[in-house]
Amino acid sequence: MAELHVSILTPAKVAGTFSAEQVQVPGIDGYLGVLPGHTQLISELGVGELLVHTRQGIESYFVSGGYLDVGEGNHVTILVDIAEKPVDIKVDRAKDARQRALSRLDDKSGVDVLRAQAALRRAEQRLVVAARLSK
Ligand code: ATP
């Protein structure tokens, strides 16, 4: 069966390359699945968990700020500002960030609500990805 050739790139490094059966990426309006033979497309990504299904198992990354490029020959490039594996994520830091965001959203006065909501989403999604370590 044809496989995807997946590259996960950030400005700093190649975060991962895989032969994969499927990837699930966090789009702007929900998750998008890519299988071999998918139509070519470029799509903006949201914040969340990227899942790469390989024969060996599932790889999980927290990703934020970027694009998905599905090109010819089953080449899938995920170009993101941030790509963190479960081991990279500091759980206490994410919990603190979540608490800070929740307090700001509670307080409301003078708070940049969109910014606080974005920080909350980053923290929550980091905690989702970090939880994969204990599964
Ligand atoms: P914080 O308030 O803790 O800085 P943040 O959501 O504002 O969180 P980002 O803007 O998403 O942080 O990321 C800034 C930098 O900090 C990035 O390099 C990111 O990889 C790193 N980072 C943020 N949170 C964590 C975490 N919980 N574990 C590991 N690295 C983190």
Side-chain angles (χ1 to χ4, degrees):
M1 197 185 119
E3 287 199 301
L4 300 169
H5 310 289
V6 181
S7 305
I8 303 164
L9 311 177
T10 73
K13 63 179 181 188
V14 177
T17 57
F18 301 95
S19 290
E21 295 162 348
Q22 188 191 150
V23 294
Q24 281 163 276
V25 299
I28 296 291
D29 304 316
Y31 278 78
L32 172 70
V34 179
L35 292 164
H38 198 286
T39 329
Q40 293 183 39
L41 89 116
I42 292 182
S43 179
E44 191 176 352
L45 295 180
V47 170
E49 185 177 33
L50 162 68
L51 291 171
V52 185
H53 299 252
T54 73
R55 282 192 208 165
Q56 288 75 38
I58 299 178
E59 298 286 336
S60 163
Y61 287 83
F62 167 82
V63 293
S64 165
Y67 290 89
L68 163 75
D69 180 353
V70 182
E72 274 184 7
N74 288 317
H75 285 276
V76 176
T77 307
I78 290 145
L79 189 61
V80 282
D81 289 333
I82 296 174
E84 294 161 356
K85 297 174 84 138
V87 292
D88 302 327
I89 294 171
K90 295 186 179 96
V91 170
D92 287 348
R93 179 171 170 176
K95 283 183 178 167
D96 286 351
R98 178 176 63 185
Q99 196 45 53
R100 213 164 41 238
L102 285 171
S103 303
R104 286 189 172 125
L105 289 169
D106 241 13
D107 180 11
K108 291 195 182 73
S109 56
V111 167
D112 181 341
V113 172
L114 289 180
R115 186 171 163 188
Q117 283 172 341
L120 179 60
R121 175 147 183 90
R122 286 196 300 278
E124 285 177 336
Q125 292 300 304
R126 279 190 168 107
L127 292 171
V128 166
V129 172
R132 295 246 168 218
L133 269 186
S134 47
K135 278 184 189 161

PDB file of all heavy atoms in Angstrom, residues 3-4 12 18 25-26 29 33-34 37 40 54 58 66 68 71 78 83 85 94 102 107 113 122-123 133:
ATOM      1  N   GLU A   3       2.357   4.844   0.855  1.00  0.00           N
ATOM      2  CA  GLU A   3       2.484   5.503   2.150  1.00  0.00           C
ATOM      3  C   GLU A   3       2.730   6.998   1.953  1.00  0.00           C
ATOM      4  O   GLU A   3       3.186   7.437   0.887  1.00  0.00           O
ATOM      5  CB  GLU A   3       3.641   4.912   2.945  1.00  0.00           C
ATOM      6  CG  GLU A   3       3.325   3.526   3.485  1.00  0.00           C
ATOM      7  CD  GLU A   3       4.255   3.138   4.619  1.00  0.00           C
ATOM      8  OE1 GLU A   3       5.477   3.107   4.393  1.00  0.00           O
ATOM      9  OE2 GLU A   3       3.754   2.869   5.724  1.00  0.00           O
ATOM     10  N   LEU A   4       2.462   7.728   2.996  1.00  0.00           N
ATOM     11  CA  LEU A   4       2.761   9.162   2.992  1.00  0.00           C
ATOM     12  C   LEU A   4       4.217   9.371   3.403  1.00  0.00           C
ATOM     13  O   LEU A   4       4.731   8.624   4.247  1.00  0.00           O
ATOM     14  CB  LEU A   4       1.855   9.882   4.004  1.00  0.00           C
ATOM     15  CG  LEU A   4       0.353   9.788   3.787  1.00  0.00           C
ATOM     16  CD1 LEU A   4      -0.382  10.331   5.024  1.00  0.00           C
ATOM     17  CD2 LEU A   4      -0.061  10.562   2.541  1.00  0.00           C
ATOM     18  N   ALA A  12      13.383  26.200  13.324  1.00  0.00           N
ATOM     19  CA  ALA A  12      14.626  25.806  14.005  1.00  0.00           C
ATOM     20  C   ALA A  12      15.159  24.445  13.581  1.00  0.00           C
ATOM     21  O   ALA A  12      16.355  24.197  13.637  1.00  0.00           O
ATOM     22  CB  ALA A  12      14.397  25.816  15.520  1.00  0.00           C
ATOM     23  N   PHE A  18       8.677  10.832   8.635  1.00  0.00           N
ATOM     24  CA  PHE A  18       8.049   9.519   8.802  1.00  0.00           C
ATOM     25  C   PHE A  18       7.498   8.997   7.480  1.00  0.00           C
ATOM     26  O   PHE A  18       7.058   9.788   6.634  1.00  0.00           O
ATOM     27  CB  PHE A  18       6.831   9.613   9.746  1.00  0.00           C
ATOM     28  CG  PHE A  18       7.144  10.132  11.107  1.00  0.00           C
ATOM     29  CD1 PHE A  18       6.980  11.481  11.400  1.00  0.00           C
ATOM     30  CD2 PHE A  18       7.612   9.285  12.100  1.00  0.00           C
ATOM     31  CE1 PHE A  18       7.274  11.977  12.654  1.00  0.00           C
ATOM     32  CE2 PHE A  18       7.910   9.770  13.353  1.00  0.00           C
ATOM     33  CZ  PHE A  18       7.740  11.114  13.636  1.00  0.00           C
ATOM     34  N   VAL A  25      -4.319  16.295  11.272  1.00  0.00           N
ATOM     35  CA  VAL A  25      -3.765  17.607  11.620  1.00  0.00           C
ATOM     36  C   VAL A  25      -4.879  18.502  12.162  1.00  0.00           C
ATOM     37  O   VAL A  25      -6.040  18.388  11.754  1.00  0.00           O
ATOM     38  CB  VAL A  25      -3.098  18.289  10.395  1.00  0.00           C
ATOM     39  CG1 VAL A  25      -1.953  17.468   9.853  1.00  0.00           C
ATOM     40  CG2 VAL A  25      -4.119  18.576   9.307  1.00  0.00           C
ATOM     41  N   PRO A  26      -4.501  19.393  13.094  1.00  0.00           N
ATOM     42  CA  PRO A  26      -5.512  20.324  13.600  1.00  0.00           C
ATOM     43  C   PRO A  26      -5.685  21.479  12.610  1.00  0.00           C
ATOM     44  O   PRO A  26      -4.788  22.300  12.438  1.00  0.00           O
ATOM     45  CB  PRO A  26      -4.907  20.817  14.924  1.00  0.00           C
ATOM     46  CG  PRO A  26      -3.435  20.654  14.755  1.00  0.00           C
ATOM     47  CD  PRO A  26      -3.199  19.558  13.758  1.00  0.00           C
ATOM     48  N   ASP A  29     -10.739  24.810  11.483  1.00  0.00           N
ATOM     49  CA  ASP A  29     -12.126  24.465  11.885  1.00  0.00           C
ATOM     50  C   ASP A  29     -12.259  22.987  12.239  1.00  0.00           C
ATOM     51  O   ASP A  29     -13.225  22.350  11.844  1.00  0.00           O
ATOM     52  CB  ASP A  29     -13.112  24.736  10.739  1.00  0.00           C
ATOM     53  CG  ASP A  29     -13.055  26.146  10.262  1.00  0.00           C
ATOM     54  OD1 ASP A  29     -13.007  27.037  11.119  1.00  0.00           O
ATOM     55  OD2 ASP A  29     -13.054  26.352   9.034  1.00  0.00           O
ATOM     56  N   GLY A  33      -8.000  14.711   8.181  1.00  0.00           N
ATOM     57  CA  GLY A  33      -7.239  13.481   7.991  1.00  0.00           C
ATOM     58  C   GLY A  33      -6.677  13.414   6.584  1.00  0.00           C
ATOM     59  O   GLY A  33      -7.341  13.805   5.626  1.00  0.00           O
ATOM     60  N   VAL A  34      -5.426  12.962   6.459  1.00  0.00           N
ATOM     61  CA  VAL A  34      -4.799  12.816   5.149  1.00  0.00           C
ATOM     62  C   VAL A  34      -4.356  11.371   4.983  1.00  0.00           C
ATOM     63  O   VAL A  34      -3.603  10.844   5.801  1.00  0.00           O
ATOM     64  CB  VAL A  34      -3.583  13.762   5.005  1.00  0.00           C
ATOM     65  CG1 VAL A  34      -2.927  13.579   3.642  1.00  0.00           C
ATOM     66  CG2 VAL A  34      -3.986  15.205   5.220  1.00  0.00           C
ATOM     67  N   GLY A  37      -2.771   9.275  -1.506  1.00  0.00           N
ATOM     68  CA  GLY A  37      -3.644   9.572  -2.639  1.00  0.00           C
ATOM     69  C   GLY A  37      -4.503  10.806  -2.444  1.00  0.00           C
ATOM     70  O   GLY A  37      -5.342  11.129  -3.284  1.00  0.00           O
ATOM     71  N   GLN A  40      -3.965  17.238  -3.785  1.00  0.00           N
ATOM     72  CA  GLN A  40      -2.994  18.240  -3.361  1.00  0.00           C
ATOM     73  C   GLN A  40      -3.721  19.421  -2.719  1.00  0.00           C
ATOM     74  O   GLN A  40      -4.785  19.821  -3.186  1.00  0.00           O
ATOM     75  CB  GLN A  40      -2.199  18.721  -4.571  1.00  0.00           C
ATOM     76  CG  GLN A  40      -1.302  17.628  -5.140  1.00  0.00           C
ATOM     77  CD  GLN A  40      -0.463  18.122  -6.289  1.00  0.00           C
ATOM     78  OE1 GLN A  40       0.032  19.242  -6.251  1.00  0.00           O
ATOM     79  NE2 GLN A  40      -0.307  17.304  -7.303  1.00  0.00           N
ATOM     80  N   THR A  54       1.995   5.547  11.989  1.00  0.00           N
ATOM     81  CA  THR A  54       2.991   4.758  11.258  1.00  0.00           C
ATOM     82  C   THR A  54       2.738   3.276  11.547  1.00  0.00           C
ATOM     83  O   THR A  54       1.925   2.937  12.407  1.00  0.00           O
ATOM     84  CB  THR A  54       4.426   5.109  11.687  1.00  0.00           C
ATOM     85  OG1 THR A  54       4.663   4.560  12.975  1.00  0.00           O
ATOM     86  CG2 THR A  54       4.653   6.619  11.706  1.00  0.00           C
ATOM     87  N   ILE A  58       1.702   5.323  16.846  1.00  0.00           N
ATOM     88  CA  ILE A  58       1.226   6.690  16.610  1.00  0.00           C
ATOM     89  C   ILE A  58       2.197   7.683  17.253  1.00  0.00           C
ATOM     90  O   ILE A  58       2.571   7.525  18.421  1.00  0.00           O
ATOM     91  CB  ILE A  58      -0.186   6.882  17.200  1.00  0.00           C
ATOM     92  CG1 ILE A  58      -1.169   5.928  16.520  1.00  0.00           C
ATOM     93  CG2 ILE A  58      -0.647   8.321  17.038  1.00  0.00           C
ATOM     94  CD1 ILE A  58      -2.578   6.003  17.075  1.00  0.00           C
ATOM     95  N   GLY A  66       0.921  27.352  11.640  1.00  0.00           N
ATOM     96  CA  GLY A  66       1.589  26.888  10.432  1.00  0.00           C
ATOM     97  C   GLY A  66       0.667  26.417   9.331  1.00  0.00           C
ATOM     98  O   GLY A  66      -0.531  26.747   9.316  1.00  0.00           O
ATOM     99  N   LEU A  68      -0.178  23.140   6.327  1.00  0.00           N
ATOM    100  CA  LEU A  68      -0.083  21.772   5.818  1.00  0.00           C
ATOM    101  C   LEU A  68       0.030  21.873   4.300  1.00  0.00           C
ATOM    102  O   LEU A  68      -0.745  22.602   3.667  1.00  0.00           O
ATOM    103  CB  LEU A  68      -1.369  21.025   6.176  1.00  0.00           C
ATOM    104  CG  LEU A  68      -1.644  19.730   5.404  1.00  0.00           C
ATOM    105  CD1 LEU A  68      -0.737  18.621   5.901  1.00  0.00           C
ATOM    106  CD2 LEU A  68      -3.115  19.321   5.577  1.00  0.00           C
ATOM    107  N   GLY A  71       1.474  17.488  -1.234  1.00  0.00           N
ATOM    108  CA  GLY A  71       1.961  17.657  -2.599  1.00  0.00           C
ATOM    109  C   GLY A  71       1.893  16.379  -3.400  1.00  0.00           C
ATOM    110  O   GLY A  71       1.230  15.415  -3.008  1.00  0.00           O
ATOM    111  N   ILE A  78       4.472  19.503   6.971  1.00  0.00           N
ATOM    112  CA  ILE A  78       3.796  20.253   8.025  1.00  0.00           C
ATOM    113  C   ILE A  78       4.804  21.287   8.509  1.00  0.00           C
ATOM    114  O   ILE A  78       5.848  20.935   9.079  1.00  0.00           O
ATOM    115  CB  ILE A  78       3.335  19.297   9.141  1.00  0.00           C
ATOM    116  CG1 ILE A  78       2.183  18.434   8.587  1.00  0.00           C
ATOM    117  CG2 ILE A  78       2.863  20.059  10.373  1.00  0.00           C
ATOM    118  CD1 ILE A  78       2.153  17.060   9.090  1.00  0.00           C
ATOM    119  N   ALA A  83       6.638  22.697  17.156  1.00  0.00           N
ATOM    120  CA  ALA A  83       6.270  21.268  17.136  1.00  0.00           C
ATOM    121  C   ALA A  83       6.957  20.624  18.334  1.00  0.00           C
ATOM    122  O   ALA A  83       8.183  20.585  18.394  1.00  0.00           O
ATOM    123  CB  ALA A  83       6.726  20.609  15.837  1.00  0.00           C
ATOM    124  N   LYS A  85       7.140  17.244  20.958  1.00  0.00           N
ATOM    125  CA  LYS A  85       6.743  15.871  21.268  1.00  0.00           C
ATOM    126  C   LYS A  85       6.332  15.820  22.744  1.00  0.00           C
ATOM    127  O   LYS A  85       6.704  16.713  23.520  1.00  0.00           O
ATOM    128  CB  LYS A  85       7.914  14.930  21.006  1.00  0.00           C
ATOM    129  CG  LYS A  85       8.325  14.918  19.557  1.00  0.00           C
ATOM    130  CD  LYS A  85       9.564  14.090  19.363  1.00  0.00           C
ATOM    131  CE  LYS A  85       9.158  12.648  19.221  1.00  0.00           C
ATOM    132  NZ  LYS A  85       9.890  11.925  18.179  1.00  0.00           N
ATOM    133  N   ALA A  94       2.807  24.212  31.505  1.00  0.00           N
ATOM    134  CA  ALA A  94       1.520  24.284  30.795  1.00  0.00           C
ATOM    135  C   ALA A  94       0.366  24.470  31.776  1.00  0.00           C
ATOM    136  O   ALA A  94      -0.578  25.221  31.497  1.00  0.00           O
ATOM    137  CB  ALA A  94       1.327  23.025  29.950  1.00  0.00           C
ATOM    138  N   LEU A 102      -6.900  31.217  32.590  1.00  0.00           N
ATOM    139  CA  LEU A 102      -8.246  31.129  33.191  1.00  0.00           C
ATOM    140  C   LEU A 102      -8.495  32.317  34.117  1.00  0.00           C
ATOM    141  O   LEU A 102      -9.594  32.887  34.131  1.00  0.00           O
ATOM    142  CB  LEU A 102      -8.387  29.810  33.956  1.00  0.00           C
ATOM    143  CG  LEU A 102      -8.561  28.556  33.090  1.00  0.00           C
ATOM    144  CD1 LEU A 102      -8.474  27.296  33.941  1.00  0.00           C
ATOM    145  CD2 LEU A 102      -9.884  28.597  32.323  1.00  0.00           C
ATOM    146  N   ASP A 107     -11.197  37.445  35.267  1.00  0.00           N
ATOM    147  CA  ASP A 107     -11.031  38.820  35.705  1.00  0.00           C
ATOM    148  C   ASP A 107     -11.722  39.793  34.728  1.00  0.00           C
ATOM    149  O   ASP A 107     -12.421  40.718  35.123  1.00  0.00           O
ATOM    150  CB  ASP A 107      -9.522  39.089  35.807  1.00  0.00           C
ATOM    151  CG  ASP A 107      -9.215  40.495  36.261  1.00  0.00           C
ATOM    152  OD1 ASP A 107     -10.168  41.165  36.682  1.00  0.00           O
ATOM    153  OD2 ASP A 107      -8.057  40.921  36.170  1.00  0.00           O
ATOM    154  N   VAL A 113      -9.075  39.387  25.634  1.00  0.00           N
ATOM    155  CA  VAL A 113      -9.758  38.093  25.740  1.00  0.00           C
ATOM    156  C   VAL A 113      -9.248  37.104  24.688  1.00  0.00           C
ATOM    157  O   VAL A 113      -8.992  35.933  24.994  1.00  0.00           O
ATOM    158  CB  VAL A 113     -11.298  38.285  25.616  1.00  0.00           C
ATOM    159  CG1 VAL A 113     -12.010  36.941  25.538  1.00  0.00           C
ATOM    160  CG2 VAL A 113     -11.822  39.070  26.809  1.00  0.00           C
ATOM    161  N   ARG A 122      -3.512  26.802  23.836  1.00  0.00           N
ATOM    162  CA  ARG A 122      -2.159  26.237  23.757  1.00  0.00           C
ATOM    163  C   ARG A 122      -1.873  25.367  24.974  1.00  0.00           C
ATOM    164  O   ARG A 122      -1.386  24.244  24.849  1.00  0.00           O
ATOM    165  CB  ARG A 122      -1.108  27.358  23.661  1.00  0.00           C
ATOM    166  CG  ARG A 122      -1.042  28.048  22.325  1.00  0.00           C
ATOM    167  CD  ARG A 122       0.249  28.841  22.166  1.00  0.00           C
ATOM    168  NE  ARG A 122       0.424  29.888  23.160  1.00  0.00           N
ATOM    169  CZ  ARG A 122      -0.119  31.100  23.109  1.00  0.00           C
ATOM    170  NH1 ARG A 122      -0.906  31.435  22.098  1.00  0.00           N
ATOM    171  NH2 ARG A 122       0.103  31.991  24.060  1.00  0.00           N
ATOM    172  N   ALA A 123      -2.198  25.904  26.152  1.00  0.00           N
ATOM    173  CA  ALA A 123      -1.900  25.154  27.380  1.00  0.00           C
ATOM    174  C   ALA A 123      -2.701  23.853  27.428  1.00  0.00           C
ATOM    175  O   ALA A 123      -2.153  22.776  27.732  1.00  0.00           O
ATOM    176  CB  ALA A 123      -2.227  26.026  28.594  1.00  0.00           C
ATOM    177  N   LEU A 133       2.287  10.435  27.098  1.00  0.00           N
ATOM    178  CA  LEU A 133       3.433   9.741  27.689  1.00  0.00           C
ATOM    179  C   LEU A 133       2.987   8.674  28.675  1.00  0.00           C
ATOM    180  O   LEU A 133       3.631   7.644  28.804  1.00  0.00           O
ATOM    181  CB  LEU A 133       4.316  10.742  28.442  1.00  0.00           C
ATOM    182  CG  LEU A 133       5.437  11.396  27.661  1.00  0.00           C
ATOM    183  CD1 LEU A 133       6.274  12.229  28.614  1.00  0.00           C
ATOM    184  CD2 LEU A 133       6.294  10.369  26.964  1.00  0.00           C
TER     185      LEU A 133
END
